């Protein structure tokens, strides 16, 4: 896995992520997750929160885990880049 990257606004981002985490689960997120999978023609889709030490899957389709360690995630790298970040081949290797 790539070395974890930290954004310039990491403290503020974590405060916001914790606020969302404390809101609980909203079924509306599942509808968005389903729509994203259909639009992108993907069997797997999720909405997650990147916390200090892990990534929490707050809505998921075909993801067996509720979270993964931050150092196993591509998300810290994706949020640092304004470009699209595709992982289709890499994700298939891990599943």
């Amino acid at each position: 896995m790539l070395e974890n990257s930290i954004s310039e606004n990491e403290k503020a981002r974590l405060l916001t992520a914790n606020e969302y985490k404390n809101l609980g689960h909203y079924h509306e997120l599942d509808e968005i997750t389903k729509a994203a999978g259909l639009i992108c023609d993907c069997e797997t889709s999720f909405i997650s929160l990147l916390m200090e030490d892990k990534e929490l899957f707050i809505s998921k389709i075909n993801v067996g885990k509720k979270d993964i360690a931050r150092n196993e995630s591509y998300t810290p790298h994706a949020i640092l880049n304004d470009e699209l970040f595709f992982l289709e081949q890499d994700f298939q290797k891990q599943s």
Side-chain angles (χ1 to χ4, degrees), residues 6 9-10 12-13 15-16 24 28-29 41-42 54-55 58 62-63 70 72 78 87:
I6 303 295
N9 65 340
E10 185 70 0
R13 193 196 62 71
L15 285 172
T16 302
E28 292 86 355
L29 291 178
D41 193 28
C42 295
K54 61 185 166 186
E55 181 174 7
I58 59 174
N62 293 326
V63 175
R70 183 180 172 129
E72 295 176 7
L87 300 172

Side-chain angles (χ1 to χ4, degrees), residues 30-44:
D30 293 336
E31 294 302 318
I32 295 169
T33 305
K34 288 177 191 174
L38 290 171
I39 290 167
C40 296
D41 193 28
C42 295
E43 293 180 16
T44 302

Side-chain angles (χ1 to χ4, degrees), residues 4-71:
N4 253 327
S5 302
I6 303 295
S7 65
E8 291 178 14
N9 65 340
E10 185 70 0
K11 286 183 182 183
R13 193 196 62 71
L14 285 172
L15 285 172
T16 302
N18 276 307
E19 289 176 16
Y20 282 109
K21 177 185 167 192
N22 293 330
L23 290 176
H25 182 82
Y26 287 92
H27 294 287
E28 292 86 355
L29 291 178
D30 293 336
E31 294 302 318
I32 295 169
T33 305
K34 288 177 191 174
L38 290 171
I39 290 167
C40 296
D41 193 28
C42 295
E43 293 180 16
T44 302
S45 58
F46 59 86
I47 297 174
S48 65
L49 293 174
L50 185 63
M51 309 308 287
E52 189 170 7
D53 60 343
K54 61 185 166 186
E55 181 174 7
L56 301 173
F57 300 111
I58 59 174
S59 178
K60 59 189 178 168
I61 296 177
N62 293 326
V63 175
K65 298 178 178 186
K66 65 177 185 169
D67 60 47
I68 60 171
R70 183 180 172 129
N71 65 352

